Amino acid sequence: MSLAEVLPAARQLTATEKLKLIRILAEDLETAKDISPLEPFKVYDLPTPYDCFGAGAVLMEALKPSDASQQ
């Protein structure tokens, strides 16, 4: 079955069912051996914008010139 066949059905799921599907697929990937470059049972730290208050200030500064040009 291809992704194009699965997506329409997956999009019709409720939010709870979608979360369950995500968990099932993640568990399947966790035990799979051919998911290079990821290694099974290894923890990967991913940077996120949470608690990065400086990032918000930089974004606000970046938006100031575009705000001025729209007025």
Side-chain angles (χ1 to χ4, degrees):
M1 183 176 283
S2 72
L3 184 60
E5 295 170 330
V6 173
L7 278 179
R11 287 196 169 120
Q12 292 178 358
L13 297 173
T14 65
T16 304
E17 291 172 325
K18 287 178 182 178
L19 286 173
K20 287 179 184 178
L21 177 60
I22 290 168
R23 287 185 186 120
I24 291 168
L25 293 174
E27 287 172 4
D28 286 352
L29 282 176
E30 188 175 66
T31 58
K33 294 183 183 186
D34 60 346
I35 57 170
S36 297
L38 303 177
E39 297 176 26
F41 308 108
K42 182 174 179 182
V43 175
Y44 293 89
D45 293 320
L46 300 174
T48 66
Y50 297 107
D51 297 327
C52 293
F53 303 108
V58 170
L59 288 172
M60 290 302 293
E61 286 298 316
L63 288 173
K64 281 185 183 177
S66 68
D67 287 344
S69 67
Q70 290 179 359
Q71 293 178 0

